[in-house]
Amino acid sequence: MPSKTDQRIFRDTAIKAAKAGGKVLRGLFAKEIRIEYKGERNLVTEADRAAEAIVIRTLRKQFPDHRFLAEEGGAQDSAGSVGSVHKWIIDPLDGTTNFAHSYPTFCVSIGLEIRGEIALGVVYDPLREEMFLAEEGRGATLNGRPIHVSKTEKLKASLLVTGFAYDVREDLTNNLDHFTHVSLRAQGVRRTGSAALDLCYVACGRFDGFWEMKLAPWDTAAAFLIATEAGATVTDFNNRPYNIYLKEILATNGRIHREMVEVLGLKRRSRP
């Protein structure tokens, strides 16, 4: 556990970096920007790269000996960071497809991993000016106010959210069967296009649960802690403990978790 002084410096610098990245995104939103393809459906824009550069620059200025893992740049360790127990895990623009289409749902996500455990999470929505924050063991907040998961008791009364991997057209191991099973049992299912915001919305009670497949560490590093600190139950689809390097995530208010595990198991039971 870092000292109180270190915690404050980590927190304040992460918030500063998230706001700097968010300012870049806000300035480029709904304007003509360069868009490239990392795959048939996987986009990257100049906004991703510009936001990532300023986030890493802000963090590295304060923590030159820390390690970095970012969506666009990958692992960005320096000679002085080899062996460091601190790793910043960054998604500079979670919701790139939304951003590229001028759809106003995206965020900056910054998580700090210390000795393999997420100790700090910051998720910033620059358009709504919503700053979600969590520190290990200290709860979660939205713009400085404590947040908690919903109290919905039953799946049939729940509003849920999910997403689909970029290879949904190519890989039969996708989310389409799960989407069907859950949609037939929940009050509603949404698809926002930002896994980090989905988890934060579970944390603050806007959604009762979230599930997705094939996410990367930078998609969930910050928001996983935010959801957990807000009281969410977070596991894989088989109800085993979650970590950010797994490829399945289920996050709920806890009250509907057992039902969600059962429904997500229907796909496997329906096949030989």
Side-chain angles (χ1 to χ4, degrees):
M1 176 73 70
S3 70
K4 288 185 178 180
T5 300
D6 285 344
Q7 283 183 323
R8 176 180 56 78
I9 296 172
F10 293 154
R11 178 181 66 246
D12 291 351
T13 308
I15 290 172
K16 181 180 179 181
K19 287 183 176 179
K23 183 178 180 180
V24 169
L25 298 181
R26 194 164 53 241
L28 292 173
F29 181 62
K31 296 179 179 171
E32 284 194 21
I33 57 173
R34 290 193 309 277
I35 299 173
E36 302 171 18
Y37 285 81
K38 296 186 284 186
E40 183 178 351
R41 301 172 69 231
N42 192 357
L43 308 179
V44 60
T45 71
E46 62 181 291
D48 294 80
R49 294 194 173 103
E52 182 170 298
I54 196 166
V55 167
I56 291 178
R57 186 162 63 247
T58 302
L59 293 170
R60 182 165 275 152
K61 182 178 180 181
Q62 183 68 47
F63 310 112
D65 58 345
H66 286 192
R67 299 163 60 204
F68 291 85
L69 175 64
E71 179 173 13
E72 304 310 328
Q76 301 183 35
D77 299 339
S78 64
S81 70
V82 175
S84 173
V85 300
H86 298 88
K87 180 166 69 175
W88 294 94
I89 305 174
I90 301 157
D91 193 339
L93 172 49
D94 187 48
T96 297
T97 300
N98 289 346
F99 190 94
H101 289 269
S102 299
Y103 184 75
T105 302
F106 54 86
C107 65
V108 180
S109 174
I110 302 173
L112 174 60
E113 183 182 79
I114 304 178
R115 295 183 178 87
E117 300 292 334
I118 305 299
L120 170 69
V122 172
V123 172
Y124 180 53
D125 178 342
L127 297 186
R128 296 173 181 82
E129 294 190 3
E130 291 190 329
M131 180 73 72
F132 295 89
L133 169 72
E135 296 173 90
E136 186 180 12
R138 302 185 68 180
T141 60
L142 167 54
N143 291 345
R145 297 183 177 182
I147 54 175
H148 305 282
V149 295
S150 72
K151 296 181 180 179
T152 305
E153 294 281 354
K154 297 293 183 182
L155 181 57
K156 66 182 180 181
S158 296
L159 181 61
L160 307 172
V161 64
T162 191
F164 296 91
Y166 290 113
D167 65 356
V168 65
R169 297 174 182 169
E170 294 82 35
D171 191 346
L172 292 178
T173 306
N174 55 47
N175 198 22
L176 294 174
D177 286 349
H178 294 314
F179 184 85
T180 299
H181 291 315
V182 175
S183 295
L184 291 173
R185 290 161 175 82
Q187 188 171 72
V189 180
R190 302 290 182 262
R191 192 264 195 262
T192 73
S194 170
L197 285 179
D198 291 345
L199 278 164
C200 288
Y201 286 8
V202 172
C204 69
R206 294 173 184 170
F207 291 126
D208 302 301
F210 162 72
W211 84 97
E212 196 164 338
M213 305 167 67
K214 302 179 183 178
L215 293 174
W218 45 78
D219 294 313
T220 63
F224 160 55
L225 182 66
I226 293 166
T228 301
E229 288 291 327
T233 299
V234 187
T235 69
D236 70 2
F237 292 177
N238 289 305
N239 205 28
R240 295 175 298 210
Y242 177 75
N243 73 69
I244 63 171
Y245 300 100
L246 295 179
K247 295 300 182 181
E248 294 178 348
I249 183 171
L250 169 62
T252 76
N253 64 2
R255 299 167 188 251
I256 65 166
H257 205 81
R258 179 184 57 79
E259 286 186 274
M260 281 296 297
V261 170
E262 291 176 357
V263 173
L264 293 175
L266 291 175
K267 178 179 178 181
R268 287 183 290 273
R269 289 198 295 270
S270 67
R271 295 183 175 183

